[in-house]
Amino acid sequence: MRRILFFILCAHFVSPTVAFANCRQALAIGLDVSGSVDLREYRLQIDGLVAALNHPEVTKILLAMPSAPVSLLVYEWSGPDDQELLVGWTPITGQDALQNVSKTLAQTQRREATPGTALGTAMQIGADYLDQMASCWKRTLDLSGDGKSNLGPRPRHVRETLMSSEITINALVIGSDAPAATDRRYVEIGELSAYFAAEVIMGADSFVQTALGFEDYANAMTQKLKRELAGIAVSALQ
């Protein structure tokens, strides 16, 4: 009886970190809502994320191990003092959990945001969120952005402070919505991808995914999630 009481008390006072001890991956997703993102582009980004999370191949990976689920968190970022949490840490233990996340995102409306692009601050905030999930097997920050940082700490300097944190930062770079036939469109996205590669991404197997405009965001996010999530799901199931 004493042993039973002991375990009941332990379960009651368990810390949030221990509660996620079987989390196979913590994935924090940061969405760019700075001044360069208009209302149409904002909607394409939010709806594109919902579509990507519900893509059959992504859903299959997310639900591969209900006993050791992926935990998702989604936040918006723009200026140094203008961040917003949209979805707190949510273990995707089944279809209902995924649908709840999707519903929350689908109902999200554009808020007033400062026009600046504080990419370094977005990295630090994402890392702070991942610190809450220290017991997960892998921790990944997924940052979307359509421009270079122009406010707050330089991303390169923030990355240097995060090197010992054992997190991975990947990027989804969104290029110009100019017509596909315009060569300059590919030059611009190449330059922006190189910037994110040099200043932002870090960790094992980190990478930059590109979207040729917000119209391509859903497809790019789908490919990104498949790449971010697949490896650990397959290795865990073997």
Side-chain angles (χ1 to χ4, degrees), residues 68-189:
V70 172
S71 283
L72 293 178
L73 176 144
V74 184
Y75 68 102
E76 297 177 340
W77 64 274
S78 56
D81 301 312
D82 198 354
Q83 326 297 325
E84 183 77 8
L85 182 65
L86 303 184
V87 178
W89 285 118
T90 303
I92 307 301
T93 53
Q95 192 67 47
D96 287 347
L98 181 57
Q99 289 307 307
N100 287 337
V101 170
S102 300
K103 183 177 179 180
T104 298
L105 290 172
Q107 293 176 345
T108 298
Q109 299 298 315
R110 179 68 185 261
R111 62 188 175 85
E112 292 294 326
T114 54
T117 302
L119 186 50
T121 303
M123 293 166 64
Q124 183 61 66
I125 287 176
D128 290 343
Y129 282 132
L130 288 170
D131 280 346
Q132 300 169 2
M133 307 296 284
S135 63
C136 290
W137 305 349
K138 182 177 182 180
R139 294 177 299 151
T140 306
L141 175 57
D142 182 338
L143 280 177
S144 296
D146 73 340
K148 298 178 180 180
S149 188
N150 56 28
L151 287 174
R154 183 173 176 176
R156 180 189 297 270
H157 297 156
V158 174
R159 185 174 65 175
E160 289 172 356
T161 68
L162 298 176
M163 284 298 185
S164 62
S165 64
E166 298 183 348
I167 67 172
T168 297
I169 301 180
N170 297 323
L172 197 167
V173 171
I174 308 161
S176 169
D177 282 322
T182 304
D183 290 343
R184 182 62 190 167
R185 184 189 197 194
Y186 294 94
V187 173
E188 289 174 352
I189 199 169

